[in-house]
Amino acid sequence: MGGYAEVVSQMEYDLAISIGVPPTRIIFNGPLKHPEDLEKAILAGSTVNLESLEEVEIVEALAQRLPEQNIAVGLRCNFEIDTSRISRFGFDVAGGELDRAFQRLTELSNCDVDGLHCHISTSARSTDSYARRTQKIIELTDYYFKDKQPRFIDIGGGFYGKMTDDLKSQFDGCIPNYQEYAAAVAPQLQSKYPGNSGPELIIEPGVAIVSDVLNFVAKVVGLKKVRSRQIALVVGSVHNVKPTGTDKNLSLRVYRDEENSAQRKLAGPVDIVGYTCMEHDCLYKDYSGEIGIGDYTVVENMGAYTVVFKPPFIRPNPPIISYDSIQDEYKLIRRRETSQNVFSTYIL
Ligand SMILES: Cc1ncc(COP(=O)(O)O)c(C=O)c1O
């Protein structure tokens, strides 16, 4: 749809290339870029945002080795937006690290800094924090680019995505929509760069784009009561749906086949638990509806940081099926893993 691929490792860079993204449409961020990978990405025309003075040294060496080559890089800035923690990413603005990086790169005759980047995740994800980071990055571009204009301004990701009402109700404060985020960012840039000739504004939404595109389906295979606790076992695990350890209950729907309606059932509250040997393996706490053997539980809003975070713990990964609502077609897009897939890199 015209977006870039934003990657934070060579593995992700390789993945973008293998699904057909041209190198010039890749933004390469992240704290660990090996010298050969960083050089290759710069020479291929990707947007590479440097993170550290070690990466500046790699670029210096490249520029000196290839004096005829024009090199352009972006710099990731680290400034305070959220006082609850000190981010480890990017060049510290207040401590002068960004200054040092800028100076060293602009001293090279064949190297340009062509944009500034930041990505700051905050728990509140508020529009106010996006207004403040936009303001700060405009101040920095004013200072570093003076009369010249950067090619891009990249304010990173960290936005809320679309979610069901019952998930929304578990967050404190307001959940801004896309338009509200845009209203916090765009007018500041519009007034700084009127018309259409300003730098390219880049955003890097991850969760906001993918969280509502994936559901997890698991069949109910066991029911039990242990003193005051009612339990339903499903062929799934908390590692499938909440591998990052959120304490929220993702939205859950239960589907029942007519044939199963006479089967054994429990009426809520029921804890829906998984196949691992861990006590904490609970996909959903206190489900209030009715649930029976053979039913299917569907966990929604689990598209971000789930598939890649699922460890090969206790069971291999499930298949992934895509649904095309226009054609009303289903397609297998990842095969069910087997034990052999899990063992394949071990030397037995
Ligand atoms: C540099 C960078 N940009 C964008 C993102 C996406 O963040 P989110 O999924 O919170 O939008 C990440 C995630 O960690 C990131 O590291």
Side-chain angles (χ1 to χ4, degrees):
M1 298 181 80
Y4 289 91
E6 187 268 335
V7 306
V8 287
S9 71
Q10 188 60 32
M11 182 187 91
E12 293 191 355
Y13 192 97
D14 293 343
L15 177 59
I17 294 287
S18 63
I19 59 169
V21 182
T24 51
R25 300 297 295 172
I26 300 179
I27 298 173
F28 196 177
N29 295 323
L32 179 65
K33 308 179 193 82
H34 288 300
E36 58 279 17
D37 300 333
L38 200 158
E39 290 182 3
K40 260 200 261 170
I42 290 175
L43 297 176
S46 303
T47 297
V48 179
N49 290 317
L50 307 185
E51 272 269 347
S52 63
L53 289 177
E54 289 74 24
E55 291 188 343
V56 171
E57 276 165 26
I58 298 170
V59 173
E60 284 171 333
L62 177 69
Q64 281 152 10
R65 211 172 67 240
L66 302 176
E68 304 300 316
Q69 176 78 43
N70 285 328
I71 290 171
V73 290
L75 296 179
R76 178 165 178 174
C77 312
N78 182 322
F79 47 80
E80 191 174 276
I81 286 293
D82 173 8
T83 50
S84 67
R85 75 169 158 212
I86 298 178
S87 166
R88 71 186 180 100
F89 298 108
F91 295 98
D92 181 22
V93 173
E97 191 100 324
L98 180 67
D99 234 28
R100 278 190 281 284
F102 225 93
Q103 234 170 32
R104 282 173 61 167
L105 292 165
T106 46
E107 271 165 19
L108 300 165
S109 59
N110 56 338
C111 183
D112 265 336
V113 175
D114 65 349
L116 293 182
H117 168 243
C118 69
H119 167 74
I120 306 156
S121 34
T122 62
S123 54
R125 300 170 186 265
S126 68
T127 49
D128 175 55
S129 91
Y130 284 88
R132 281 187 288 123
R133 73 189 75 180
T134 307
Q135 185 191 355
K136 184 71 195 172
I137 213 157
I138 289 175
E139 277 168 31
L140 290 171
T141 49
D142 278 349
Y143 179 75
Y144 285 107
F145 290 83
K146 308 239 163 15
D147 41 355
K148 159 169 145 242
Q149 185 174 288
R151 178 175 65 81
F152 70 87
I153 286 178
D154 184 340
I155 60 161
F159 308 92
Y160 273 122
K162 293 174 183 164
M163 58 181 106
T164 51
D165 287 342
D166 76 345
L167 184 54
K168 265 187 193 166
S169 69
Q170 297 174 56
F171 288 90
D172 297 328
C174 121
I175 311 278
N177 62 27
Y178 294 171
Q179 284 73 19
E180 285 162 332
Y181 281 123
V185 173
Q188 295 188 64
L189 287 156
Q190 191 67 59
S191 73
K192 170 75 198 157
Y193 301 103
N196 282 328
S197 57
E200 181 177 16
L201 169 64
I202 298 173
I203 56 169
E204 302 176 346
V207 169
I209 299 276
V210 296
S211 56
D212 71 335
V213 303
L214 202 66
N215 294 338
F216 180 73
V217 183
K219 192 171 186 174
V220 179
V221 290
L223 297 176
K224 70 163 78 155
K225 285 187 185 177
V226 181
R227 295 186 285 286
S228 58
R229 191 177 180 196
Q230 302 199 97
I231 297 165
L233 172 70
V234 296
V235 188
S237 158
V238 72
H239 296 287
N240 291 115
V241 295
K242 301 197 286 187
T244 56
T246 172
D247 55 357
K248 310 274 181 292
N249 263 336
L250 298 176
S251 302
L252 181 111
R253 282 181 290 142
V254 174
Y255 289 87
R256 179 162 312 130
D257 205 316
E258 281 303 300
E259 290 169 23
N260 285 330
S261 57
Q263 294 277 4
R264 223 153 51 82
K265 290 183 204 136
L266 287 175
V270 182
D271 288 345
I272 298 170
V273 301
Y275 57 69
T276 73
C277 52
M278 311 301 280
E279 287 287 8
H280 75 242
D281 190 359
C282 180
L283 290 78
Y284 195 98
K285 190 104 195 82
D286 291 335
Y287 177 70
S288 59
E290 199 174 70
I291 192 160
I293 299 278
D295 291 352
Y296 285 90
T297 55
V298 178
V299 180
E300 300 176 302
N301 261 104
M302 40 99 22
Y305 305 96
T306 44
V307 173
V308 292
F309 256 101
K310 159 73 178 63
F313 182 53
I314 311 278
R315 273 175 69 92
N317 283 319
I320 303 178
I321 295 161
S322 86
Y323 173 58
D324 178 340
S325 58
I326 297 164
Q327 306 288 335
D328 193 24
E329 271 173 13
Y330 294 88
K331 193 161 115 199
L332 184 69
I333 58 167
R334 189 179 73 174
R335 285 190 298 275
R336 180 194 300 278
E337 280 183 359
T338 65
S339 311
Q340 283 316 308
N341 293 137
V342 176
F343 302 152
S344 66
T345 51
Y346 288 85
I347 299 159
L348 300 176

